[in-house]
Structures are given as structure tokens and as C-alpha cells.
Amino acid sequence: MNKRIIADVQSKQNKMRFKDLPSLLVLVLLMIQCKNPSASDQQTAVMFATFNVSMESENYLGRYADGVSSQVLIDKLASGSSPHIKNIAKLIQTQRPDVILLNEFDYIENPEQGIEQFIKAYLKVSQGEAQAIDYPYYYYAAPNTGIETPFDLNGDRKFEGSANDAFGYGRYPGHYGMVLLSKYPIDKTNIRTFQQFKWKDMPDYLETKTADGNNFYSDEAWEAFRLSSKSHWDVPVIVGEKTIHVLVSHPTPPGFDGEEDRNGKRNHDEIRFWKDYIDKNQGAYIYDDKGETGSLGSETFVIMGDLNASPDEGNARTEGISDLLNHPRVNNEFTPSSKGGESLSPDNPYGKYHTASWKLRADYVLPSTDLNVVDHGVFWPVEGEALHELMLDRASSSDHRLVWVEVKLED
């Protein structure tokens, strides 16, 4: 091919390029738009989770063992090599929630020995094939468990101070505590805690009576009795320009009592607290530990925790959890489930919704109705699936399962 022919071809190619320029621009713009969708299409996925991790001293030393205290967990965290805690970290690293509540994480006042050490020595270290994960933000505070009282709160005519006579059952201060971890900033200035809210100050509380109709608690005990067996927290988490109030608690199990049903009634009213708090018409009576009164109002929320109650089974007063689930501000259009729970109770229609190995739905992540729920589940592998070996018992990980809900927020 001579130079003239080559020149003609190049000229035609150049003309074609300029002629097709508008269509090429359109194509480029379309490609850019696909990579960068409009603001109305941009969404941030956020996973909220709750997990009772059994990181309390009796799980390491044995039930009713001597020498239990938060020092046991301090030592386990310091070693960086506890098989149990490594397994807990592995489960969290596998599911990778953005915000997670850890129930039964013993309260350790110094975060460098407690939650920060857990993050540094376990979560930020890859556990097997699971990738390391970091939570730059956290919140924790002292619970009512193990705080001694001068009262006989269990009615056995003994004044033991702690355990059954503490404000919340616990063999030492901080037993069965809780911690909130977050990848997103926490508005610590506006956190509200309700550790010291008195049970007597809840309108229409469930009365606890003896068989002969007398008050189960003495007048002095009832005057001082706190509603929360651990605590209730309202922790605002900031995701972009949106604030989501994470409402966390761990009500007492509805058992370990007598005909007076003191724990069953307390469990009911601990759960009812959140129902009233998210209702601007019902929660005006509520006061926090700073003395400020009022409910959450119309703010966005996610309620999380081991609530120790099922609307369908168990010995809890089911109306407590049912009323919360059916509140018009709670998104109750879904129920997290798992194949593991279903396989453990194949003849139980509620089995797939169980969140604990003792066959009950006890753990919850409940978003407000203004949040767009896109996925949810209970992390419970079946035999033959990865990490099934960690589901065996509390020594392996926990007798509870990690429950998660994913929502999408418009940026």
C-alpha cells in the first residue's frame, strides 16, 4: 500500500472519529453514571448484630467455681491465645457486622485491659482463614450485676449482698456485662443510660406478690430496686448524615424464682421499657442517669440484645416481647432464621428462628420501620458447613448465636 492510500485511510478514520464523537461521549457518560450512580441511587449497607459471647468468668472456671471475678477475663484477653475468645473473634470476623452488641462480656473498667485488648489481640488478628477486623469506636459502662444491696431480694431470708441479692444477678460487680462495637462514630455526648431507673417508677409495673397476697419485696427494697438487671443504653451511631439510636439491653432470664415469678415479671417490664421509650406518647415518665426525662420520640433506632423471651415458646410472659414486636414503629415483617436452628429442632415450626442451643428465640435485632431491611439471619452453620464445630457448646463459643440484620441507607 503506497503512502497516498495510507493517508486516505487515515483521513477517513479521523473523520469517522470526529463524526462519532457525540456518541462516544454519550457512551463515556453512561459508563461514568454506572460507576457513579446518582445520589438517589447511592446507598450504604450497614449490618447490625447482637451476640451473647459467654465471655464471663464462670464459663472459664466452671459454674459456681471459686475465684470468679473480672480478672479472669482480663487474663484471658492479655494472653491473646484463649481458644474460646479466638473462636468468638473468628465468628465475628466471618460475619463482619458493622455494629455489634456483645452480651455477657464481663465489665472491665480499664478499656486497655478489656475491650481494647479484645480488639487488638483478637479481632485485629486474623483467626485462621478469617480476615482481621477493626472497630475504632466502642461503648461500655458498668451494669447492675453484682452490685451489692442490704436487701433480701430473693426472699430466702438471707442477706448475701451479691448474687441473688444484688441489683442484678451477678457474683461480682460487672458479671455478665455488655459492650457495643462500631465501625461508625458514636455520639458519646448524647448517649443515654438508664441503669438507675427504679422499677417502681414505671406506670402499671407488674406487681410481685407472695402466695398470701403480700408484697414480695420489703418497702425499703422496693424503694431502691432498679428495673434493669444489667442496664438499658441508648447509643447514637452516626452513619454519614444519619443518626441511628442503638438501644441495647440484656433482661434477666424469666426463671430461677418461685411462684411469685419475680424474674418473669422483671423480664417483661425490662422489655416493655423499650416499647415505652420508642413511643412518644408512653415514655414521658422515663428518666436517665443524668436526670433527663422523656422518650426517644421519632428518631431512627435499632433495638438489640439477648432479651431472654420468645413470643411463641418458653416460660417468659409472652405479652412483653409480643407487644414490642407488634409496636407500630418496629419492623416486624421478617424473622431472622437459620438452617442450624431448624436442624436442631426439625419437628418444631419455630426451630429455624431459635437463636440459642437451648431451643428458643432469645436474641433480637429490631430496626425501626423507616430503615430499609435488605437481609437478615442467624449465624448457625449445620454439620458439614464451615465453623459448625464452633456451635457445639459454651466452651467452643457460646450457647447463643450471632443474629444480624442488614439495612441500606441513602447517602
Side-chain angles (χ1 to χ4, degrees):
M1 186 179 291
N2 61 35
K3 291 182 179 181
R4 182 175 178 179
I5 295 174
I6 294 175
D8 287 343
V9 170
Q10 289 176 338
S11 177
K12 289 179 181 179
Q13 288 177 336
N14 289 334
K15 287 179 181 179
M16 289 176 64
R17 289 194 185 102
F18 284 110
K19 180 180 178 181
D20 293 340
L21 186 58
S23 60
L24 289 172
L25 282 173
V26 170
L27 180 61
V28 170
L29 289 173
L30 286 172
M31 292 175 66
I32 293 173
Q33 189 174 17
C34 289
K35 296 181 86 173
N36 300 285
S38 64
S40 61
D41 293 331
Q42 290 182 346
Q43 292 185 319
T44 299
V46 185
M47 183 186 294
F48 293 87
T50 187
F51 190 15
N52 182 323
V53 292
S54 302
M55 289 170 62
E56 52 87 20
S57 63
E58 285 190 326
N59 193 34
Y60 303 117
L61 300 184
R63 191 76 181 271
Y64 307 120
D66 294 332
V68 293
S69 74
S70 59
Q71 186 62 45
V72 175
L73 181 58
I74 290 173
D75 293 342
K76 295 285 184 180
L77 292 171
S79 74
S81 60
S82 164
H84 174 258
I85 302 178
K86 287 168 72 73
N87 288 345
I88 292 293
K90 188 172 187 177
L91 292 171
I92 295 171
Q93 290 173 348
T94 299
Q95 193 58 40
R96 312 191 72 78
D98 298 294
V99 181
I100 181 170
L101 171 66
L102 308 180
N103 285 131
E104 293 196 9
F105 187 111
D106 273 355
Y107 173 75
I108 298 170
E109 184 176 5
N110 183 351
E112 293 182 358
Q113 295 179 306
I115 187 56
E116 291 181 2
Q117 178 64 11
F118 176 55
I119 295 170
K120 180 178 73 173
Y122 290 91
L123 292 178
K124 292 178 70 174
V125 175
S126 178
Q127 305 297 340
E129 65 278 8
Q131 295 182 356
I133 192 169
D134 186 23
Y135 291 97
Y137 310 98
Y138 61 82
Y139 179 74
Y140 71 103
N144 283 325
T145 47
I147 296 181
E148 293 190 0
T149 78
F151 311 116
D152 172 22
L153 294 182
N154 68 337
D156 65 355
R157 300 184 180 181
K158 299 177 182 178
F159 296 85
E160 299 172 314
S162 63
N164 284 301
D165 289 338
F167 276 126
Y169 178 84
R171 296 183 60 194
Y172 49 89
H175 200 180
Y176 308 114
M178 54 188 188
V179 178
L180 186 72
L181 302 177
S182 177
K183 293 183 181 179
Y184 294 96
I186 292 173
D187 180 6
K188 291 193 173 182
T189 302
N190 291 305
I191 290 173
R192 300 182 72 188
T193 63
F194 306 91
Q195 179 194 11
Q196 299 180 45
F197 179 86
K198 304 291 180 57
W199 193 356
K200 70 180 180 64
D201 293 331
M202 171 178 276
D204 301 317
Y205 60 81
L206 296 185
E207 295 183 346
T208 306
K209 300 285 188 178
T210 61
D212 57 9
N214 293 322
N215 291 329
F216 182 83
Y217 300 109
S218 69
D219 291 344
E220 295 79 11
W222 184 242
E223 189 66 24
F225 206 114
R226 299 175 181 182
L227 173 65
S228 296
S229 54
K230 282 81 176 178
S231 193
H232 285 68
W233 301 340
D234 172 355
V235 184
V237 174
I238 303 171
V239 183
E241 297 182 356
K242 191 172 186 64
T243 297
I244 301 174
H245 291 256
V246 183
L247 311 179
V248 305
S249 62
H250 184 187
T252 185
F256 309 102
D257 51 20
E259 292 182 2
E260 83 289 342
D261 194 26
R262 67 184 188 277
N263 288 332
K265 292 174 179 178
R266 190 180 190 183
N267 173 274
H268 174 283
D269 282 353
E270 285 195 75
I271 295 171
R272 182 197 145 191
F273 180 91
W274 287 136
K275 181 181 76 72
D276 290 351
Y277 187 65
I278 62 175
D279 192 319
K280 60 183 178 180
N281 297 319
Q282 299 295 327
Y285 70 87
I286 294 173
Y287 56 84
D288 60 31
D289 293 332
K290 296 179 181 178
E292 299 177 359
T293 59
S295 66
L296 180 64
S298 58
E299 300 294 323
T300 300
F301 64 83
V302 177
I303 298 171
M304 302 201 301
D306 174 1
L307 302 187
N308 272 314
S310 165
D312 306 301
E313 306 172 273
N315 58 353
R317 290 175 171 261
T318 58
E319 65 272 16
I321 186 63
S322 295
D323 287 348
L324 178 61
L325 290 171
N326 293 320
H327 191 281
R329 295 201 62 213
V330 171
N331 185 345
N332 191 26
E333 295 182 354
F334 66 93
T335 304
S337 62
S338 72
K339 291 189 295 182
E342 187 174 26
S343 66
L344 186 64
S345 304
D347 299 323
N348 186 337
Y350 304 111
K352 63 182 179 181
Y353 306 127
H354 290 167
T355 67
S357 61
W358 32 275
K359 302 182 180 182
L360 197 74
R361 183 186 182 191
D363 307 86
Y364 294 81
V365 179
L366 303 174
S368 52
T369 52
D370 58 332
L371 288 173
N372 178 25
V373 175
V374 294
D375 205 358
H376 50 82
V378 179
F379 188 81
W380 195 338
V382 296
E383 187 172 358
E385 293 182 332
L387 304 187
H388 170 70
E389 69 278 6
L390 303 188
M391 305 289 113
L392 299 179
D393 49 33
R394 291 182 93 226
S396 302
S397 60
S398 175
D399 54 349
H400 290 253
R401 303 294 176 251
L402 186 152
V403 181
W404 58 275
V405 172
E406 186 176 34
V407 303
K408 282 195 174 179
L409 310 175
E410 289 189 1
D411 293 339

